[in-house]
Short mmCIF file of all heavy atoms in Angstrom, two decimals:
data_model
loop_
_atom_site.label_atom_id
_atom_site.label_comp_id
_atom_site.label_asym_id
_atom_site.label_seq_id
_atom_site.Cartn_x
_atom_site.Cartn_y
_atom_site.Cartn_z
N GLN A 29 -5.06 7.28 -6.77
CA GLN A 29 -5.48 6.38 -7.83
C GLN A 29 -6.57 7.11 -8.82
O GLN A 29 -6.35 6.95 -10.14
CB GLN A 29 -6.16 5.14 -7.30
CG GLN A 29 -6.31 4.01 -8.32
CD GLN A 29 -6.85 2.78 -7.58
OE1 GLN A 29 -8.06 2.63 -7.23
NE2 GLN A 29 -5.93 1.81 -7.21
N ALA A 30 -7.38 7.92 -8.27
CA ALA A 30 -8.37 8.64 -8.98
C ALA A 30 -7.52 9.73 -9.89
O ALA A 30 -8.04 10.17 -10.95
CB ALA A 30 -9.36 9.28 -8.20
N LEU A 31 -6.46 10.13 -9.37
CA LEU A 31 -5.64 11.23 -10.07
C LEU A 31 -4.58 10.59 -11.02
O LEU A 31 -3.76 11.34 -11.61
CB LEU A 31 -4.89 12.05 -9.05
CG LEU A 31 -5.81 13.01 -8.29
CD1 LEU A 31 -5.10 13.59 -7.13
CD2 LEU A 31 -6.50 14.03 -9.20
N GLY A 32 -4.61 9.29 -11.21
CA GLY A 32 -3.79 8.64 -12.37
C GLY A 32 -2.69 7.83 -11.91
O GLY A 32 -1.91 7.39 -12.76
N TRP A 33 -2.44 7.65 -10.56
CA TRP A 33 -1.35 6.90 -10.13
C TRP A 33 -1.80 5.39 -10.10
O TRP A 33 -2.91 5.07 -9.66
CB TRP A 33 -0.90 7.28 -8.74
CG TRP A 33 -0.25 8.63 -8.71
CD1 TRP A 33 -0.84 9.84 -8.71
CD2 TRP A 33 1.14 8.94 -8.79
NE1 TRP A 33 0.05 10.85 -8.69
CE2 TRP A 33 1.33 10.26 -8.69
CE3 TRP A 33 2.30 8.05 -8.81
CZ2 TRP A 33 2.58 10.96 -8.73
CZ3 TRP A 33 3.59 8.66 -8.77
CH2 TRP A 33 3.67 10.15 -8.73
N ALA A 34 -0.93 4.52 -10.34
CA ALA A 34 -1.04 3.06 -9.98
C ALA A 34 -0.44 2.84 -8.58
O ALA A 34 0.60 3.22 -8.25
CB ALA A 34 -0.22 2.14 -11.00
N THR A 35 -1.30 2.28 -7.64
CA THR A 35 -0.95 2.39 -6.27
C THR A 35 -0.80 0.94 -5.63
O THR A 35 -1.33 0.04 -6.06
CB THR A 35 -2.09 3.12 -5.51
OG1 THR A 35 -3.27 2.44 -5.60
CG2 THR A 35 -2.36 4.48 -5.97
N LEU A 36 -0.03 1.02 -4.53
CA LEU A 36 0.14 -0.16 -3.70
C LEU A 36 0.27 0.47 -2.24
O LEU A 36 0.98 1.45 -2.03
CB LEU A 36 1.35 -1.01 -3.99
CG LEU A 36 1.66 -2.07 -3.03
CD1 LEU A 36 0.58 -3.26 -3.15
CD2 LEU A 36 3.03 -2.72 -3.42
N GLY A 37 -0.35 -0.27 -1.31
CA GLY A 37 -0.25 0.17 0.07
C GLY A 37 0.23 -0.88 0.96
O GLY A 37 0.12 -2.14 0.67
N THR A 38 0.88 -0.54 2.10
CA THR A 38 1.12 -1.48 3.17
C THR A 38 0.80 -0.98 4.56
O THR A 38 0.66 0.35 4.74
CB THR A 38 2.68 -1.79 3.27
OG1 THR A 38 3.42 -0.63 3.88
CG2 THR A 38 3.30 -2.06 1.89
N ASP A 39 0.38 -1.83 5.36
CA ASP A 39 0.00 -1.44 6.74
C ASP A 39 0.13 -2.68 7.64
O ASP A 39 -0.27 -3.75 7.18
CB ASP A 39 -1.35 -0.78 6.85
CG ASP A 39 -1.54 0.16 8.01
OD1 ASP A 39 -1.58 -0.43 9.14
OD2 ASP A 39 -1.56 1.31 7.87
N THR A 40 0.56 -2.49 8.87
CA THR A 40 0.71 -3.63 9.81
C THR A 40 -0.55 -3.90 10.54
O THR A 40 -0.61 -4.89 11.21
CB THR A 40 1.94 -3.35 10.80
OG1 THR A 40 1.54 -2.12 11.45
CG2 THR A 40 3.25 -3.19 10.08
N ASP A 41 -1.47 -3.03 10.45
CA ASP A 41 -2.75 -3.20 11.14
C ASP A 41 -3.73 -3.91 10.38
O ASP A 41 -4.20 -3.47 9.26
CB ASP A 41 -3.31 -1.81 11.51
CG ASP A 41 -4.58 -1.82 12.37
OD1 ASP A 41 -5.27 -2.91 12.33
OD2 ASP A 41 -4.90 -0.77 12.99
N PRO A 42 -4.16 -5.20 10.75
CA PRO A 42 -5.04 -5.97 9.87
C PRO A 42 -6.37 -5.36 9.66
O PRO A 42 -6.99 -5.56 8.64
CB PRO A 42 -5.15 -7.32 10.59
CG PRO A 42 -4.61 -7.08 12.03
CD PRO A 42 -3.70 -5.95 11.88
N VAL A 43 -6.94 -4.62 10.65
CA VAL A 43 -8.27 -4.00 10.53
C VAL A 43 -8.17 -2.93 9.45
O VAL A 43 -9.07 -2.80 8.58
CB VAL A 43 -8.71 -3.35 11.90
CG1 VAL A 43 -10.09 -2.70 11.66
CG2 VAL A 43 -8.96 -4.61 12.92
N ALA A 44 -7.13 -2.14 9.54
CA ALA A 44 -6.93 -1.05 8.52
C ALA A 44 -6.78 -1.63 7.17
O ALA A 44 -7.35 -1.07 6.15
CB ALA A 44 -5.67 -0.28 8.84
N VAL A 45 -5.96 -2.75 7.00
CA VAL A 45 -5.85 -3.37 5.71
C VAL A 45 -7.10 -3.89 5.12
O VAL A 45 -7.42 -3.75 3.98
CB VAL A 45 -4.80 -4.56 5.81
CG1 VAL A 45 -4.82 -5.38 4.53
CG2 VAL A 45 -3.44 -4.08 6.16
N THR A 46 -7.99 -4.48 6.03
CA THR A 46 -9.27 -4.91 5.61
C THR A 46 -10.13 -3.68 5.04
O THR A 46 -10.72 -3.96 4.09
CB THR A 46 -10.05 -5.54 6.75
OG1 THR A 46 -9.32 -6.75 7.24
CG2 THR A 46 -11.46 -5.99 6.32
N HIS A 47 -10.05 -2.56 5.75
CA HIS A 47 -10.87 -1.47 5.30
C HIS A 47 -10.25 -0.84 3.92
O HIS A 47 -11.06 -0.50 3.01
CB HIS A 47 -10.86 -0.36 6.33
CG HIS A 47 -11.60 -0.63 7.59
ND1 HIS A 47 -12.75 -1.46 7.55
CD2 HIS A 47 -11.52 -0.30 8.83
CE1 HIS A 47 -13.27 -1.54 8.70
NE2 HIS A 47 -12.48 -0.79 9.55
N ALA A 48 -9.02 -0.91 3.84
CA ALA A 48 -8.40 -0.38 2.57
C ALA A 48 -8.64 -1.31 1.48
O ALA A 48 -9.06 -0.86 0.38
CB ALA A 48 -6.85 -0.34 2.77
N ARG A 49 -8.70 -2.68 1.59
CA ARG A 49 -8.94 -3.63 0.61
C ARG A 49 -10.42 -3.40 0.22
O ARG A 49 -10.80 -3.77 -0.96
CB ARG A 49 -8.64 -5.03 1.01
CG ARG A 49 -7.14 -5.23 1.12
CD ARG A 49 -6.80 -6.61 1.62
NE ARG A 49 -5.36 -6.86 1.59
CZ ARG A 49 -4.82 -7.90 2.20
NH1 ARG A 49 -5.61 -8.80 2.88
NH2 ARG A 49 -3.50 -8.10 2.20
N SER A 50 -11.26 -3.12 1.11
CA SER A 50 -12.71 -2.99 0.85
C SER A 50 -12.96 -1.77 -0.21
O SER A 50 -13.99 -1.74 -0.84
CB SER A 50 -13.58 -2.72 2.03
OG SER A 50 -13.36 -1.41 2.61
N ARG A 51 -12.04 -0.92 -0.27
CA ARG A 51 -12.00 0.16 -1.30
C ARG A 51 -11.62 -0.25 -2.71
O ARG A 51 -11.68 0.49 -3.69
CB ARG A 51 -11.14 1.39 -0.91
CG ARG A 51 -11.51 2.05 0.37
CD ARG A 51 -10.45 3.10 0.75
NE ARG A 51 -10.66 3.77 1.92
CZ ARG A 51 -11.29 4.94 2.07
NH1 ARG A 51 -11.69 5.51 0.96
NH2 ARG A 51 -11.44 5.58 3.29
N GLY A 52 -11.22 -1.50 -2.83
CA GLY A 52 -10.70 -2.05 -4.04
C GLY A 52 -9.20 -1.79 -4.36
O GLY A 52 -8.77 -2.06 -5.40
N LEU A 53 -8.51 -1.59 -3.17
CA LEU A 53 -7.04 -1.18 -3.29
C LEU A 53 -6.27 -2.45 -3.09
O LEU A 53 -6.62 -3.43 -2.39
CB LEU A 53 -6.68 -0.21 -2.26
CG LEU A 53 -7.36 1.25 -2.34
CD1 LEU A 53 -7.03 1.96 -1.06
CD2 LEU A 53 -6.87 1.94 -3.57
N GLU A 54 -5.01 -2.45 -3.75
CA GLU A 54 -4.11 -3.56 -3.48
C GLU A 54 -3.21 -3.09 -2.28
O GLU A 54 -2.53 -2.09 -2.28
CB GLU A 54 -3.16 -3.79 -4.66
CG GLU A 54 -2.19 -4.83 -4.50
CD GLU A 54 -1.16 -5.00 -5.62
OE1 GLU A 54 -1.21 -4.24 -6.58
OE2 GLU A 54 -0.29 -5.91 -5.49
N VAL A 55 -3.32 -3.87 -1.16
CA VAL A 55 -2.65 -3.51 0.04
C VAL A 55 -2.08 -4.81 0.69
O VAL A 55 -2.75 -5.76 0.70
CB VAL A 55 -3.65 -2.87 1.09
CG1 VAL A 55 -2.93 -2.62 2.39
CG2 VAL A 55 -4.31 -1.57 0.55
N ILE A 56 -0.78 -4.69 1.03
CA ILE A 56 -0.03 -5.68 1.70
C ILE A 56 -0.16 -5.57 3.24
O ILE A 56 0.11 -4.47 3.76
CB ILE A 56 1.39 -5.77 1.22
CG1 ILE A 56 1.54 -6.03 -0.20
CG2 ILE A 56 2.20 -6.71 2.12
CD1 ILE A 56 2.90 -5.98 -0.76
N GLU A 57 -0.47 -6.53 3.96
CA GLU A 57 -0.46 -6.53 5.36
C GLU A 57 1.07 -6.69 5.94
O GLU A 57 1.58 -7.86 5.70
CB GLU A 57 -1.31 -7.52 6.04
CG GLU A 57 -1.32 -7.49 7.55
CD GLU A 57 -2.26 -8.50 8.21
OE1 GLU A 57 -3.27 -8.88 7.59
OE2 GLU A 57 -2.07 -8.85 9.38
N GLY A 58 1.65 -5.71 6.32
CA GLY A 58 3.11 -5.73 6.76
C GLY A 58 3.68 -4.30 6.55
O GLY A 58 3.00 -3.32 6.43
N GLY A 59 5.02 -4.40 6.56
CA GLY A 59 5.79 -3.14 6.42
C GLY A 59 6.47 -3.04 5.06
O GLY A 59 6.19 -3.83 4.08
N LEU A 60 7.36 -2.02 4.86
CA LEU A 60 8.03 -1.84 3.64
C LEU A 60 8.83 -3.09 3.34
O LEU A 60 9.06 -3.52 2.06
CB LEU A 60 9.03 -0.67 3.73
CG LEU A 60 8.43 0.71 3.50
CD1 LEU A 60 9.40 1.73 3.78
CD2 LEU A 60 7.93 0.82 2.05
N GLU A 61 9.41 -3.78 4.31
CA GLU A 61 10.27 -4.91 4.11
C GLU A 61 9.40 -6.08 3.41
O GLU A 61 10.02 -7.08 2.87
CB GLU A 61 10.89 -5.40 5.37
CG GLU A 61 11.76 -4.33 5.98
CD GLU A 61 11.14 -3.47 6.95
OE1 GLU A 61 9.90 -3.35 6.81
OE2 GLU A 61 11.91 -2.76 7.64
N ASP A 62 8.13 -6.01 3.50
CA ASP A 62 7.28 -7.07 2.91
C ASP A 62 6.98 -6.89 1.51
O ASP A 62 6.23 -7.76 0.90
CB ASP A 62 5.99 -7.23 3.74
CG ASP A 62 6.33 -7.66 5.24
OD1 ASP A 62 6.84 -8.80 5.37
OD2 ASP A 62 6.10 -6.94 6.17
N VAL A 63 7.39 -5.78 0.94
CA VAL A 63 7.16 -5.53 -0.50
C VAL A 63 8.30 -6.21 -1.34
O VAL A 63 9.52 -5.96 -0.98
CB VAL A 63 7.21 -4.03 -0.76
CG1 VAL A 63 6.99 -3.74 -2.33
CG2 VAL A 63 6.03 -3.28 0.03
N GLU A 64 7.94 -6.93 -2.31
CA GLU A 64 8.91 -7.71 -3.14
C GLU A 64 9.97 -6.68 -3.75
O GLU A 64 9.58 -5.63 -4.32
CB GLU A 64 8.21 -8.41 -4.27
CG GLU A 64 7.28 -9.56 -3.76
CD GLU A 64 6.58 -10.17 -4.91
OE1 GLU A 64 6.93 -9.90 -6.08
OE2 GLU A 64 5.70 -11.01 -4.67
N GLY A 65 11.20 -7.09 -3.58
CA GLY A 65 12.31 -6.26 -4.07
C GLY A 65 12.27 -5.92 -5.64
O GLY A 65 12.82 -5.08 -6.04
N ALA A 66 11.46 -6.87 -6.26
CA ALA A 66 11.50 -6.72 -7.83
C ALA A 66 10.63 -5.68 -8.18
O ALA A 66 10.66 -5.17 -9.42
CB ALA A 66 11.07 -8.10 -8.47
N ARG A 67 9.76 -5.10 -7.42
CA ARG A 67 8.79 -4.07 -7.72
C ARG A 67 9.48 -2.74 -7.63
O ARG A 67 10.37 -2.59 -6.79
CB ARG A 67 7.59 -4.17 -6.82
CG ARG A 67 6.95 -5.44 -6.76
CD ARG A 67 5.58 -5.50 -6.00
NE ARG A 67 4.48 -4.91 -6.64
CZ ARG A 67 3.22 -5.07 -6.34
NH1 ARG A 67 2.93 -5.89 -5.34
NH2 ARG A 67 2.26 -4.55 -6.99
N ARG A 68 9.19 -1.85 -8.52
CA ARG A 68 9.81 -0.54 -8.58
C ARG A 68 8.70 0.59 -8.67
O ARG A 68 7.64 0.42 -9.31
CB ARG A 68 10.73 -0.42 -9.82
CG ARG A 68 12.00 -1.21 -9.68
CD ARG A 68 12.87 -0.68 -8.48
NE ARG A 68 14.14 -1.51 -8.37
CZ ARG A 68 14.27 -2.61 -7.76
NH1 ARG A 68 13.32 -3.01 -7.02
NH2 ARG A 68 15.45 -3.25 -7.70
N PHE A 69 8.97 1.65 -7.96
CA PHE A 69 8.01 2.73 -7.85
C PHE A 69 8.60 4.07 -8.06
O PHE A 69 9.86 4.30 -7.99
CB PHE A 69 7.42 2.75 -6.35
CG PHE A 69 6.71 1.58 -5.96
CD1 PHE A 69 7.43 0.43 -5.43
CD2 PHE A 69 5.36 1.36 -6.16
CE1 PHE A 69 6.79 -0.72 -4.97
CE2 PHE A 69 4.75 0.08 -5.86
CZ PHE A 69 5.45 -0.88 -5.25
N ASP A 70 7.81 4.91 -8.66
CA ASP A 70 8.22 6.28 -8.95
C ASP A 70 8.20 7.23 -7.65
O ASP A 70 8.94 8.21 -7.57
CB ASP A 70 7.26 6.93 -10.05
CG ASP A 70 7.30 6.13 -11.26
OD1 ASP A 70 8.33 6.34 -12.04
OD2 ASP A 70 6.43 5.35 -11.56
N ALA A 71 7.32 6.79 -6.75
CA ALA A 71 7.29 7.58 -5.54
C ALA A 71 6.86 6.68 -4.32
O ALA A 71 5.99 5.77 -4.56
CB ALA A 71 6.31 8.76 -5.63
N ILE A 72 7.47 6.90 -3.24
CA ILE A 72 7.04 6.25 -1.97
C ILE A 72 6.70 7.35 -0.94
O ILE A 72 7.45 8.30 -0.75
CB ILE A 72 8.17 5.32 -1.32
CG1 ILE A 72 8.38 4.23 -2.39
CG2 ILE A 72 7.73 4.76 -0.04
CD1 ILE A 72 9.55 3.25 -1.98
N VAL A 73 5.56 7.20 -0.32
CA VAL A 73 5.13 8.23 0.64
C VAL A 73 4.82 7.56 2.03
O VAL A 73 4.28 6.50 2.10
CB VAL A 73 3.90 9.03 0.13
CG1 VAL A 73 4.28 9.73 -1.14
CG2 VAL A 73 2.69 8.07 -0.03
N GLY A 74 5.00 8.32 3.09
CA GLY A 74 4.70 7.97 4.51
C GLY A 74 4.18 9.14 5.20
O GLY A 74 4.89 10.08 5.52
N LYS A 75 2.85 9.20 5.45
CA LYS A 75 2.20 10.23 6.10
C LYS A 75 2.11 9.99 7.62
O LYS A 75 1.27 9.07 8.01
CB LYS A 75 0.82 10.54 5.53
CG LYS A 75 0.06 11.62 6.08
CD LYS A 75 -1.26 11.77 5.38
CE LYS A 75 -2.05 13.03 5.97
NZ LYS A 75 -3.38 13.10 5.19
N HIS A 76 3.00 10.61 8.39
CA HIS A 76 2.93 10.31 9.90
C HIS A 76 3.07 8.96 10.15
O HIS A 76 2.21 8.40 10.91
CB HIS A 76 1.78 11.11 10.57
CG HIS A 76 1.97 12.58 10.65
ND1 HIS A 76 2.47 13.20 11.81
CD2 HIS A 76 1.71 13.57 9.81
CE1 HIS A 76 2.62 14.44 11.60
NE2 HIS A 76 2.15 14.75 10.46
#
């Protein structure tokens, strides 16, 4: 986000989601299937 991307995150772990949201990030609790199909992205990443 600091490097210029508009970001969205997902994670199934509610504790992790809480920490991510505390950074001011938009994060969905769930997996990829929980992201609305109408949204479109230039890149999707999954680190381990």
Side-chain angles (χ1 to χ4, degrees):
Q29 194 173 79
L31 291 170
W33 292 83
T35 65
L36 175 69
T38 74
D39 204 287
T40 58
D41 184 338
V43 177
V45 170
T46 298
H47 289 330
R49 288 174 177 169
S50 74
R51 297 175 181 265
L53 298 168
E54 182 185 1
V55 178
I56 295 171
E57 184 179 332
L60 276 172
E61 297 88 345
D62 296 298
V63 180
E64 296 176 6
R67 304 184 79 161
R68 290 293 182 270
F69 299 88
D70 299 282
I72 297 177
V73 299
K75 183 179 181 180
H76 282 265

